[in-house]
């Protein structure tokens, strides 16, 4: 990866700590329709909560209703799956099964399995969401244990087509996808990676095809810092 992508500012959130280290930040979404990014947390015991934010400042902390999806279910992303203008929450079970909570704010309306409900190989794990065909769908990005990358192009909860990315893997398998974001504001989903040594890079994408890759500047957030996202 080339080192040519600038960062602009770093800031702590307010408050800067959740207090209980059992809570991990796992996704972002607009949970209350105020067009601001909120933070979704999941506790080690499975409980799900949200910080409703105003920029970097916490407004309200709340549990979702219901607050726990059950043993083995972990949040892997968020987005408006059923296109009702409410962000929904995607889960993957330890056995690979995929499901979505269709939400109205922080309240569950309906839970559904995806179709198909799991990849054939449970070593594929969802590492992010995005719209790779620019049709308003919530597509799923997978990374295999061996580093290979693929995307499920979705229509709601239904798989339309599965594709490997191009290229299908980073050259160094120690690079793992840590998030998805339109970093260069071209309307296309890009992939954020973090190396096992802490370095951060990005693949700027054109659909499922890599346009170019670069390291962020600076490329190291410092010891112990990891990009928050699905794990």
């Amino acid at each position: 990866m080339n080192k040519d992508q600038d960062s602009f500012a770093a800031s702590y959130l307010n408050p800067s700590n959740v207090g209980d280290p059992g809570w991990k930040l796992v996704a972002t979404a607009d949970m209350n329709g105020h067009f601001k990014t909120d933070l979704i947390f999941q506790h080690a015991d499975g409980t799900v909560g949200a910080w409703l934010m105003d920029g970097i400042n916490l407004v309200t902390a709340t549990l979702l209703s219901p607050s726990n999806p059950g043993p083995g279910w972990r949040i892997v992303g968020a987005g408006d799956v059923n296109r009702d203008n409410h962000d929904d929450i995607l889960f993957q079970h330890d056995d690979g099964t995929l499901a979505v909570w269709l939400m109205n704010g922080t309240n569950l309306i309906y839970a559904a399995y995806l179709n198909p409900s799991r990849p054939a190989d449970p070593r594929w794990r969802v590492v992010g969401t995005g719209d790779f065909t620019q049709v308003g769908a919530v597509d799923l990005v997978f990374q295999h244990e061996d580093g290979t990358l693929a995307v499920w192009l979705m229509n709601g909860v239904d798989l339309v087509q599965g594709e490997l990315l191009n290229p299908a893997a980073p050259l160094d398998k120690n690079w793992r996808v840590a998030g998805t974001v339109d970093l260069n504001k071209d309307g296309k989903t890009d992939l954020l990676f973090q190396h096992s040594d802490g370095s951060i890079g990005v693949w700027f994408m054109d659909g499922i095809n890599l346009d170019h890759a670069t390291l962020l500047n600076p490329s190291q957030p410092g010891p112990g810092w990891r990009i928050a996202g699905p794990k």
Side-chain angles (χ1 to χ4, degrees), residues 165-186:
L165 298 192
N166 177 31
L171 294 177
D172 180 348
K173 67 179 182 180
N174 289 308
W175 286 102
R176 309 299 295 185
V177 175
T180 52
V181 63
D182 179 10
L183 198 61
N184 57 352
K185 305 302 182 184
D186 65 352

Side-chain angles (χ1 to χ4, degrees), residues 36-112:
K36 297 178 181 179
T37 300
D38 303 313
L39 309 181
I40 302 172
F41 294 85
Q42 189 165 21
H43 196 273
D45 67 9
T47 304
V48 181
W51 277 15
L52 307 180
M53 305 293 292
D54 181 8
I56 64 171
N57 299 302
L58 171 64
V59 176
T60 304
T62 183
L63 295 179
L64 272 59
S65 178
S67 63
N68 200 309
W73 288 101
R74 309 307 298 178
I75 293 173
V76 292
D80 186 3
V81 172
N82 58 348
R83 305 188 198 185
D84 65 349
N85 296 317
H86 296 284
D87 280 342
D88 308 306
I89 300 176
L90 288 148
F91 294 84
Q92 188 168 22
H93 195 271
D94 292 341
D95 67 7
T97 303
L98 298 159
V100 60
W101 278 10
L102 303 175
M103 306 293 292
N104 181 2
T106 59
N107 299 303
L108 171 65
I109 301 301
Y110 183 73

Side-chain angles (χ1 to χ4, degrees), residues 130-231:
D131 181 6
F132 287 84
T133 53
Q134 296 182 282
V135 297
V138 178
D139 304 316
L140 306 183
V141 182
F142 292 82
Q143 190 164 23
H144 195 272
E145 281 183 5
D146 66 8
T148 305
L149 297 161
V151 63
W152 277 14
L153 305 176
M154 305 294 292
N155 179 15
V157 299
D158 299 313
L159 172 64
V160 175
Q161 189 171 348
E163 297 276 2
L164 293 178
L165 298 192
N166 177 31
L171 294 177
D172 180 348
K173 67 179 182 180
N174 289 308
W175 286 102
R176 309 299 295 185
V177 175
T180 52
V181 63
D182 179 10
L183 198 61
N184 57 352
K185 305 302 182 184
D186 65 352
K188 299 175 182 179
T189 301
D190 306 312
L191 304 182
L192 275 172
F193 290 81
Q194 190 162 23
H195 196 273
S196 57
D197 68 7
S199 299
I200 299 173
V202 58
W203 278 14
F204 290 103
M205 304 297 293
D206 181 8
I208 64 170
N209 301 302
L210 173 64
D211 182 271
H212 69 284
T214 182
L215 294 178
L216 298 194
N217 181 23
S219 63
Q220 278 275 3
W225 288 97
R226 306 300 299 179
I227 295 173
K231 295 294 185 288

